[in-house]
Amino acid sequence: PTRPVRAARHLLEAIVETVVVVTDAGTIVDLVPGALVARGVRPTVHDDLTTWLHPDDARRARQLLEGAGCDTDLLAVRMSAVGGGWVPVEMALADHRGNTPVDGWVVTLRESTRPATGSEHTPFHDRLTGVASRDLFRDHLDMDVARSRREATSTALLVLDIDGFAGVNDHHGHAAGDALLRAVGSRLRAVVRDADTVGRLGDDDFGIVVPQVRDIAHARTVAMRAQQAVQAPLAVDGTTIEVTASVGVAILPGGPSAPGQDATDLLRDAGAAMAEARRRGGARVVVFDDDLRARQHHRRELERALTDAVREDQLLLHYQPIVNLEDGSITGVEALVRWQHPSMGLVSPADFIPLAESTGMIVPIGAWVLRESTRQAVEWQRRFPSEDGLQVAVNVSAIQLTRGDIEADVRAALATSGINPGNLTLEVTESTLVHDTTYVRGVLLRLKALGVRLAVDDFGTGYSSLQYLHHLPVDILKIDRSFIVDLASGGRSGALVEAIVAMGHTLQLQTVAEGIEDMAQLEAARIMACDSGQGFLFARPGRGIEIEALLAARARAGRYFQDVVAG
């Protein structure tokens, strides 16, 4: 070729984008090579463009070419290089069919600028599991939603969470956890159709896009099949690991007259259904419906109101006495946060505490509880000098331990109130101790160094913290109320409670029986030698003024619940 022709060819190859014109069938009828030539991507006229794509990506490209009026303009794909390997490419399509002189799909190809992480799948596939990355999954979801609009077909989205995955890492190690995730990815891909997309959405969350789903029953069947695949036992290094899965399902009806939802709405709804499955105990499939939608709306309204509650001083504290089971004296009180909404009235803690934890609002709420409860305790001690040993117990959420700065919050409460650190007890649920034990132990050691006391709440409900107990700097075991109820009714909890109390005393820990509601339960707790107890038999949680009345009675008569514990 002449010098001008050679120069023109080099100029075209230096252009960043490779541009091809293809038919509906994907056949290349014209092209401008562009810079991808230097990377070994060299399609030619008469080639089928999709044969240059990774098989997982070719299917999506064909769907785009088949979809008249497609409103998806960008697709992440991998293109084959002549020398081997895959080149990450961003593919954009423009519909010029019927437009002279182009008359076809104009496809622009540019090498992806997304950062690589050392895997040939990146940024399109998850490096650990091999399923679609979150970005690629969202691309596919967007396309299937657009197709639903055009073709009046429904699309289902499944969000699957591995129940208790953190426990796998804690008990079997992170290598076992990674092996489980790889197995889950492989199993999910094995039970879906070619048209479906499996992606990893988070640490142990996976998604499945099911286009052209027939109805809810069809979507539920796919979800059950995926759940069963995940729950099959897995052998890792001679150990069998068994997990369950919670699956949320959301369906987007197709057609232009369908509700105005998009991929973001579908992700939100499927995620809400999965969270509901977990709330019901896990190991189940929940389909997002109108009832759940109404509850989600209520939750969002409650979330906005809770933000106002913290800012507008709508929170208050109730206190429940902790009673010495030997002499009936009040040894302390547990501070329990309540929410007095101006129009909704007293909002149940069962409604707003989980919400506060899931949104992170529990961190500022917890800091406020620490400040207010220690202030109140010091005020009681000032008014009733004989109560200088009165304890105040405050519940601490796992979120406060892991995401907040609980040490700073405790320091601030101690400094502001002037309370003796030994009069403040921080209660941590047993379930908190079985996850990320090393980190939690470090936090507890730092708190203990401040001079406060530490209690394990709901003790007996966990499945592994017994082995860690002697490593943790705790002072008190609070035996879960379910054991006390069973104990009094002649159930099989007697041996367990007796063992807990004996172990506690061996480790020089105090024991508290929770939920004592009648004399039979009180007598059972005393027989088992529990040191203290709390429950409705003594007093329901009440405002500070009610506790103050009890303290005043003690100052006058020198007694609290002596008559109760004496029978």
Side-chain angles (χ1 to χ4, degrees):
T2 64
R3 178 181 176 85
V5 171
R6 287 197 300 272
R9 180 182 301 155
H10 290 312
L11 180 61
L12 287 174
E13 292 179 357
I15 296 173
V16 172
E17 291 89 357
T18 294
V19 181
V20 299
V21 179
V22 301
T23 66
D24 288 348
T27 303
I28 299 174
V29 296
D30 200 359
L31 66 85
V32 176
L36 282 175
V37 170
R39 298 282 279 116
V41 180
R42 299 170 184 172
T44 61
V45 173
H46 305 307
D47 283 350
D48 180 346
L49 177 62
T50 61
T51 62
W52 284 84
L53 305 182
H54 188 283
D56 290 347
D57 304 328
R59 172 178 56 85
R60 311 301 299 187
R62 290 192 191 97
Q63 288 178 345
L64 283 178
L65 296 173
E66 293 168 0
C70 178
D71 57 3
T72 299
D73 60 1
L74 185 65
L75 177 64
V77 298
R78 290 156 293 169
M79 298 194 71
S80 175
V82 173
W86 299 99
V87 179
V89 172
E90 294 176 350
M91 171 188 288
L93 287 84
D95 186 1
H96 288 276
R97 292 171 298 173
N99 296 337
T100 304
V102 177
D103 193 19
W105 287 95
V106 176
V107 183
T108 304
L109 306 166
R110 176 196 290 264
E111 185 172 3
S112 176
T113 58
R114 299 182 187 182
T117 61
S119 168
E120 67 174 10
H121 288 269
T122 303
F124 307 102
H125 286 72
D126 177 62
R127 180 169 53 182
L128 177 63
T129 64
V131 301
S133 67
R134 187 179 182 91
D135 287 343
L136 180 60
F137 184 84
R138 180 57 189 261
D139 285 346
H140 288 193
L141 179 59
D142 286 339
M143 284 189 293
D144 283 323
V145 166
R147 189 173 187 179
S148 288
R149 295 288 184 221
R150 294 192 308 272
E151 301 180 1
T153 59
S154 298
T155 294
L157 174 62
L158 283 55
V159 174
L160 181 148
D161 176 82
I162 303 173
D163 300 325
F165 178 71
V168 175
N169 283 332
D170 287 342
H171 298 291
H172 302 287
H174 288 277
D178 288 348
L180 175 61
L181 291 174
R182 283 192 292 268
V184 169
S186 177
R187 291 172 177 182
L188 291 179
R189 283 182 294 177
V191 298
V192 300
R193 306 169 304 177
D194 289 341
D196 303 336
T197 301
V198 178
R200 187 179 178 196
L201 306 182
D203 287 344
D204 60 326
D205 289 345
F206 291 80
I208 304 175
V209 184
V210 187
Q212 297 181 307
V213 68
R214 293 188 299 275
D215 50 28
I216 291 177
H218 179 197
R220 184 183 288 276
T221 298
V222 176
M224 294 292 290
R225 190 163 60 239
Q227 183 189 47
Q228 291 166 5
V230 169
Q231 294 178 168
L234 173 69
V236 178
D237 294 333
T239 300
T240 299
I241 299 175
E242 295 187 51
V243 296
T244 59
S246 298
V247 187
V249 182
I251 296 179
L252 179 72
S257 62
Q261 294 176 289
D262 58 17
T264 299
D265 298 322
L266 207 56
L267 279 166
R268 182 198 63 215
D269 293 348
M274 184 272 288
E276 178 66 13
R278 294 189 63 183
R279 190 189 69 80
R280 296 182 192 175
R284 68 190 65 224
V285 174
V286 171
V287 178
F288 190 84
D289 55 16
D290 289 341
D291 179 63
L292 191 50
R293 189 186 308 280
R295 278 187 280 155
Q296 282 296 104
H297 176 73
H298 174 69
R299 174 188 169 89
R300 288 192 291 271
E301 292 295 318
L302 206 60
E303 184 178 330
R304 283 191 288 267
L306 185 57
T307 302
D308 294 336
V310 176
R311 186 174 56 247
E312 298 174 5
D313 295 328
Q314 296 174 13
L315 301 178
L316 53 91
L317 290 181
H318 283 186
Y319 301 88
Q320 186 172 37
I322 300 172
V323 178
N324 184 306
L325 296 188
E326 184 66 31
D327 62 15
S329 63
I330 294 179
T331 59
V333 294
E334 180 179 355
L336 302 166
V337 66
R338 298 292 185 260
W339 177 13
Q340 185 71 48
H341 189 273
S343 60
M344 291 186 289
L346 198 61
V347 181
S348 169
D351 289 334
F352 78 86
I353 293 297
L355 178 62
E357 291 186 334
S358 66
T359 61
M361 288 293 293
I362 196 67
V363 174
I365 290 174
W368 176 84
V369 172
L370 280 167
R371 293 193 304 271
E372 176 59 21
S373 61
T374 52
R375 182 205 64 77
Q376 178 65 84
V378 170
E379 174 63 18
W380 285 331
Q381 291 169 353
R382 185 188 64 79
R383 295 195 59 185
F384 306 102
S386 62
E387 305 298 338
D388 60 346
L390 187 72
Q391 296 284 316
V392 60
V394 175
N395 293 287
V396 174
S397 164
I399 304 299
Q400 291 173 266
L401 290 176
T402 57
R403 282 198 248 163
D405 190 346
I406 185 64
E407 186 180 357
D409 291 340
V410 171
R411 285 182 182 275
L414 294 175
T416 303
S417 66
I419 194 173
N420 183 329
N423 286 0
L424 173 61
T425 299
L426 304 179
E427 295 189 4
V428 181
T429 60
E430 184 182 14
S431 59
T432 300
L433 302 179
V434 301
H435 300 304
D436 204 355
T437 309
T438 301
Y439 177 81
V440 170
R441 181 174 182 269
V443 175
L444 295 181
L445 284 171
R446 291 193 295 275
L447 292 171
K448 185 66 176 174
L450 299 178
V452 302
R453 303 207 308 167
L454 301 174
V456 181
D457 199 10
D458 300 333
F459 194 81
T461 58
Y463 55 90
S464 64
S465 63
L466 283 171
Q467 61 183 302
Y468 299 127
L469 190 59
H470 64 285
H471 294 303
L472 297 170
V474 300
D475 305 283
I476 301 167
L477 299 181
K478 301 190 73 174
I479 303 170
D480 188 72
R481 68 180 306 276
S482 62
F483 296 108
I484 305 303
V485 171
D486 186 59
L487 187 67
S489 61
R492 297 187 296 176
S493 297
L496 178 59
V497 173
E498 189 173 11
I500 290 174
V501 173
M503 178 184 62
H505 290 167
T506 298
L507 296 175
Q508 297 184 319
L509 307 178
Q510 294 183 19
T511 55
V512 179
E514 297 187 281
I516 296 177
E517 298 185 358
D518 56 40
M519 292 301 298
Q521 294 170 6
L522 171 62
E523 185 58 25
R526 293 185 67 186
I527 290 174
M528 292 297 172
C530 291
D531 300 305
S532 303
Q534 65 183 105
F536 291 172
L537 178 63
F538 304 113
R540 292 176 177 271
R543 299 289 297 268
I545 192 170
E546 296 172 48
I547 300 299
E548 190 168 310
L550 287 174
L551 298 178
R554 157 72 174 178
R556 291 193 306 269
R559 61 192 309 112
Y560 290 115
F561 298 107
Q562 281 84 349
D563 295 340
V564 175
V565 299

